[in-house]
Amino acid sequence: MRFDRGGVVAAGLALSLGLVTAACGDDGGEPSTAPTAATTSASGSTQPAPSRPDGRALDGKTIALDPGHNGKNGANASKIARKVQIGNGSKECDTTGTSTNDGYSEAAFTWDVTQRLAKILRGQGAKIVLTREDNDGWGPCIDQRAGIGNKAKADAALSVHADGAAASSHGFHVIEPGPVRGMPASVVRASNELGRDVRDAFERDSGFTPSNYIGDDGIDRRTDLGGLNLSTVPKVFVECGNMRNAGDAAKMTSAQGRQRIAEALAKGLGNYLRG
Ligand SMILES: [Zn+2]
């Protein structure tokens, strides 16, 4: 879910009350051009376009994928509540994330989408680095999540989330970093390009419309997320939809819907990485 700009809902309290947290807490381009079928030569004759097989289009690229939250964060409330430095302040190590009204958790959703996404990208030749190995533990903390992409010198990093907003709110948004002390301007610029490519592909192919409650045409800029502030590689978050909205939740709880999300994200990453 989306990360609170201010305080973070105390995960343990929320759990003990049987509540679902309402927001993620912190951290918790160009439209791609479809390959043209033909080009026109200087002489005016039509020639077949050179094919660019997508099969290994991402050979040599490293992509860090960060499935937001973790399945046992709620059972480790004191551990995930510990503060970590995020470059311009401090924030909780992690949060529990949100869920649908029927109890499908954000952590399970992000894990499943990321697995699907990793499979697609590996099939295109990319090396995938994940920030967690399963959905049965807690953490890692947001600073570690950024550090994993940094250490891998990832060509792009994506943190996958879903939001927990008012029931009438719907749609996706991409969160891109703003200028933060310590983050090279080149990383901010590259992240913003990545964000636009992910936004364009997600709007076109995911089945979700841009958010009707936050950001501008599906993009929000934040400087309070450790996962972004600490990144030294191009990175964005995607909030795929609002789990409290019936229409969005129906898509997110469906395997077919999650596959469509993963395919849209793969296209956005691919468009960015292929330039
Ligand atoms: Zn989240």
Side-chain angles (χ1 to χ4, degrees):
M1 71 193 179
R2 164 170 81 84
F3 303 110
D4 283 342
R5 288 163 193 278
V8 174
V9 177
L13 176 62
L15 284 174
S16 68
L17 295 174
L19 300 174
V20 179
T21 53
C24 254
D26 165 335
D27 293 34
E30 295 295 314
S32 75
T33 305
T36 51
T39 57
T40 303
S41 71
S43 66
S45 64
T46 300
Q47 303 287 336
S51 64
R52 188 177 63 187
D54 267 353
R56 305 293 291 181
L58 298 178
D59 267 344
K61 301 294 186 185
T62 298
I63 303 172
L65 298 179
D66 174 35
H69 314 284
N70 202 332
K72 293 290 191 293
N73 274 6
N76 292 275
S78 61
K79 291 176 181 167
I80 65 167
R82 127 180 128 72
K83 294 287 180 69
V84 298
Q85 295 299 314
I86 65 163
N88 56 3
S90 64
K91 225 160 186 182
E92 284 76 8
C93 157
D94 204 2
T95 56
T96 58
T98 189
S99 72
T100 67
N101 290 336
D102 290 336
Y104 180 57
S105 73
E106 182 187 355
F109 167 78
T110 65
W111 176 248
D112 184 85
V113 166
T114 303
Q115 291 297 296
R116 293 171 187 275
L117 176 56
K119 183 177 181 183
I120 296 167
L121 295 170
R122 286 185 182 120
Q124 296 176 5
K127 176 186 176 186
I128 301 299
V129 178
L130 292 169
T131 58
R132 56 181 168 102
E133 295 302 316
D134 54 43
N135 194 39
D136 301 318
W138 64 274
C141 297
I142 53 177
D143 55 340
Q144 295 172 297
R145 289 176 190 257
I148 288 167
N150 296 347
K151 186 179 176 190
K153 295 185 167 51
D155 296 288
L158 177 69
S159 189
V160 178
H161 289 261
D163 211 350
S168 60
S169 301
H170 64 83
F172 79 90
H173 65 284
V174 172
I175 305 175
E176 64 180 20
V180 175
R181 188 163 53 97
M183 177 183 261
S186 60
V187 174
V188 177
R189 280 197 301 274
S191 298
N192 296 348
E193 287 176 23
L194 171 63
R196 270 141 191 83
D197 281 339
V198 170
R199 187 272 312 276
D200 290 348
F202 208 84
E203 180 172 6
R204 189 174 54 242
D205 293 329
S206 71
F208 289 76
T209 53
S211 167
N212 71 346
Y213 63 97
I214 192 168
D216 181 17
D217 197 18
I219 295 213
D220 192 26
R221 179 170 288 199
R222 305 271 299 265
T223 57
D224 62 330
L225 300 180
L228 288 183
N229 291 359
L230 300 174
S231 185
T232 58
V233 300
K235 184 173 182 180
V236 295
F237 281 40
V238 59
E239 297 279 2
C240 296
N242 175 19
M243 298 193 94
R244 307 296 188 74
N245 173 268
D248 283 4
K251 295 172 196 164
M252 287 188 275
T253 53
S254 131
Q256 186 178 21
R258 293 192 297 274
Q259 184 66 23
R260 195 170 170 189
I261 287 169
E263 287 172 2
L265 293 172
K267 285 183 183 174
L269 285 162
N271 290 340
Y272 170 76
L273 290 169
R274 290 193 301 266

